[in-house]
Amino acid sequence: MYSIIAVLFVTFTINAQENKNIQRETVTKKVTVKDTKVDTKVVQEIKEDNEVVKVEGTDKQDQNSQVVTSKSDNTEKVVADEVSVDEENAEKIQQNMNRKSEELKASIAAQKAKAEKERQMLLEKKKEMQKELEKRRMELESRPKGMSKLKKDN
């Protein structure tokens, strides 16, 4: 009895045919962003189509076959994600920052010197105006011999 079941089981599995066709498309992308830090990311996109051709397990020729197609979703797989420092760029940026800092300090010093010069000129003008004012006052106060002195109003 067991041998008959085993023979039937083997014949049905031998006669039934199933053909599988798997198409896999892999796209690898490498994205690099360059600044002082270089970000490199390698991503694989995998598209997979599974086709299964099923034929019934009978002895007939020209049997109807059934094609079952299943598409898997696009899967993205990150293969590598690296961050490295670009020392040349970092050095250039540091040099630019140092140069700008020096230019700023020089500009500030020039502005201070210009302001000091203008302040000195204003002080000199003020002293000259005071001297001229004193000179005029003396001229106004000095009277010829017969005239009385001027009286100040309160």
Side-chain angles (χ1 to χ4, degrees):
M1 180 83 156
Y2 287 116
S3 60
I4 293 174
I5 293 174
V7 170
L8 285 176
F9 183 70
V10 170
T11 35
F12 282 119
T13 56
I14 291 174
N15 288 336
Q17 293 182 4
E18 196 171 290
N19 243 352
K20 289 186 180 182
N21 185 11
I22 299 174
Q23 294 178 348
R24 181 176 285 170
E25 181 180 328
T26 303
V27 178
T28 303
K29 295 180 185 177
K30 185 173 184 178
V31 180
T32 303
V33 178
K34 191 165 188 174
D35 192 21
T36 55
K37 295 181 180 176
V38 179
D39 291 339
T40 304
K41 186 181 273 191
V42 180
V43 178
Q44 281 186 342
E45 286 184 6
I46 300 171
K47 296 178 185 176
E48 195 172 279
D49 295 337
N50 292 332
E51 291 182 359
V52 179
V53 179
K54 291 185 179 179
V55 180
E56 298 200 13
T58 60
D59 292 335
K60 289 183 185 178
Q61 285 188 344
D62 297 330
Q63 295 180 18
N64 290 338
S65 62
Q66 215 177 15
V67 178
V68 178
T69 304
S70 65
K71 292 185 179 183
S72 66
D73 294 336
N74 294 347
T75 56
E76 287 190 3
K77 179 178 164 186
V78 177
V79 176
D81 191 5
E82 298 175 359
V83 176
S84 60
V85 177
D86 187 359
E87 293 183 16
E88 182 180 339
N89 259 1
E91 186 177 319
K92 286 181 182 179
I93 289 174
Q94 188 64 36
Q95 287 174 352
N96 282 345
M97 288 176 65
N98 289 342
R99 182 180 49 82
K100 285 182 181 180
S101 173
E102 292 299 321
E103 287 176 359
L104 183 63
K105 286 179 184 176
S107 173
I108 289 172
Q111 289 290 329
K112 284 183 179 179
K114 183 179 175 183
E116 182 63 28
K117 191 184 239 185
E118 287 178 4
R119 190 177 72 80
Q120 290 296 330
M121 287 175 56
L122 287 174
L123 285 175
E124 287 179 20
K125 281 186 181 180
K126 189 175 180 182
K127 285 181 183 179
E128 287 178 18
M129 287 176 70
Q130 287 290 338
K131 285 180 184 178
E132 194 171 316
L133 186 63
E134 285 295 321
K135 182 180 172 185
R136 283 188 185 175
R137 183 179 290 150
M138 293 302 280
E139 286 177 0
L140 287 173
E141 286 181 359
S142 67
R143 302 277 213 155
K145 280 189 176 178
M147 289 185 134
S148 63
K149 290 191 174 184
L150 292 174
K151 295 181 181 175
K152 293 183 181 177
D153 293 335
N154 288 338

